[in-house]
């Protein structure tokens, strides 16, 4: 899901930019913690940044990149099976969770979300596995039986876009993409707590 390398005239600038971004992403993935210190996430009133990311059951390469809008082809253009497209999801109430697999029990957030899927059919649930490959994520999806779409963010592009440095993290948004809040830390692994936040989302005006 990456775009072609730029022309020769822009190659040096492009290379420097790629190196800088790679450093940021590397630091992000390797410094994600399991508590809220120093993290911000999307704030109330922000708009969900759009992205397109490969799903665990897609035919994309095992370590494919997500599209966060830096290339020539914009994320909203990727509307095909096997792609999580935020441009599509944000038309309804959206609950999007971020977790690093096998990192302090962060995937428990996805279990909490799964427990609420049938209770809140008007909500689009989605998960992003930070630093995962397609194969590693596929094992976890089958093991936990997550039925909502889960994408893999192997190089951390989406976590950088959403300012996620805490695992787990969940962002709740109104139809259209306006953010209600971002919740951080282990409380998001409890279905009862998450259900209360979703009910607040549904009953308050955007």
């Amino acid at each position: 899901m990456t775009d072609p390398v730029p022309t020769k005239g822009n190659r040096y600038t492009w290379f420097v930019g790629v190196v800088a971004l790679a450093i940021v992403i590397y630091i992000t993935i390797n410094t994600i913690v399991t508590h809220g210190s120093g993290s911000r996430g999307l704030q109330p009133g922000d708009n969900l940044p759009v992205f397109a990311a490969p799903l665990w059951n897609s035919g994309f390469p095992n370590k494919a990149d997500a599209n966060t809008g830096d290339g020539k082809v914009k994320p909203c253009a990727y509307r095909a099976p096997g792609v999580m497209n935020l441009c599509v999801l944000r038309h309804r109430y959206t609950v999007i969770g971020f977790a690093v697999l096998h990192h302090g029990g962060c995937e428990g957030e996805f279990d909490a979300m799964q427990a609420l899927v049938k209770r809140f059919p008007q909500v689009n649930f989605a998960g992003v596995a930070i630093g995962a490959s397609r194969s590693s994520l596929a094992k976890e999806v089958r093991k936990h039986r997550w039925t909502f779409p889960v994408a893999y963010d192997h190089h951390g592009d989406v976590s950088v876009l959403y300012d996620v440095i805490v695992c787990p993290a969940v962002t709740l948004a109104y139809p259209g993409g306006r953010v209600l809040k971002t919740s951080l830390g282990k409380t998001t692994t409890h279905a009862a707590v998450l259900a209360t936040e979703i009910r607040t989302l549904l009953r308050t005006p955007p």
Side-chain angles (χ1 to χ4, degrees):
M1 300 185 69
T2 53
D3 295 330
V5 174
T7 58
K8 185 175 181 180
N10 296 323
R11 189 165 297 167
Y12 178 75
T13 302
W14 172 83
F15 176 76
V16 172
V18 168
V19 170
L21 179 60
I23 292 172
V24 170
I25 292 172
Y26 177 83
I27 292 173
T28 298
I29 292 176
N30 287 278
T31 57
I32 285 179
V33 295
T34 55
H35 53 79
S37 176
S39 181
R40 180 176 180 272
L42 297 182
Q43 296 297 289
D46 288 345
N47 289 314
L48 293 177
V50 297
F51 67 87
L55 292 169
W56 69 273
N57 56 349
S58 70
F60 287 99
N62 197 44
K63 298 181 179 180
D65 294 328
N67 184 313
T68 56
D70 295 328
K72 295 179 181 178
V73 181
K74 299 306 179 183
C76 291
Y78 285 104
R79 302 198 182 198
V83 175
M84 176 186 290
N85 192 311
L86 206 282
C87 302
V88 175
L89 292 176
R90 66 179 179 176
H91 289 304
R92 304 175 70 210
Y93 291 101
T94 303
V95 174
I96 180 168
F98 297 85
V100 179
L101 304 179
H102 309 298
H103 186 78
C106 288
E107 62 268 22
E109 175 185 67
F110 292 169
D111 292 332
M113 292 167 60
Q114 180 62 48
L116 302 176
V117 168
K118 292 184 178 179
R119 195 184 306 181
F120 297 102
Q122 67 273 60
V123 174
N124 279 334
F125 291 88
V128 177
I130 303 170
S133 64
R134 180 170 52 81
S135 57
S136 64
L137 177 57
K139 291 178 182 178
E140 292 303 307
V141 172
R142 295 187 178 104
K143 175 183 176 181
H144 292 264
R145 298 183 180 181
W146 299 323
T147 60
F148 56 89
V150 185
Y152 57 103
D153 181 26
H154 182 71
H155 293 102
D157 306 70
V158 180
S159 63
V160 170
L161 187 68
Y162 276 67
D163 194 21
V164 173
I165 62 172
V166 165
C167 170
V170 61
T171 297
L172 299 91
Y174 300 100
R178 185 172 180 270
V179 173
L180 168 68
K181 66 178 299 187
T182 295
S183 295
L184 306 169
K186 289 299 184 65
T187 58
T188 65
T189 64
H190 301 289
V193 174
L194 188 54
T196 298
E197 296 188 337
I198 293 174
R199 283 192 288 269
T200 300
L201 175 70
L202 297 178
R203 70 169 179 256
T204 57

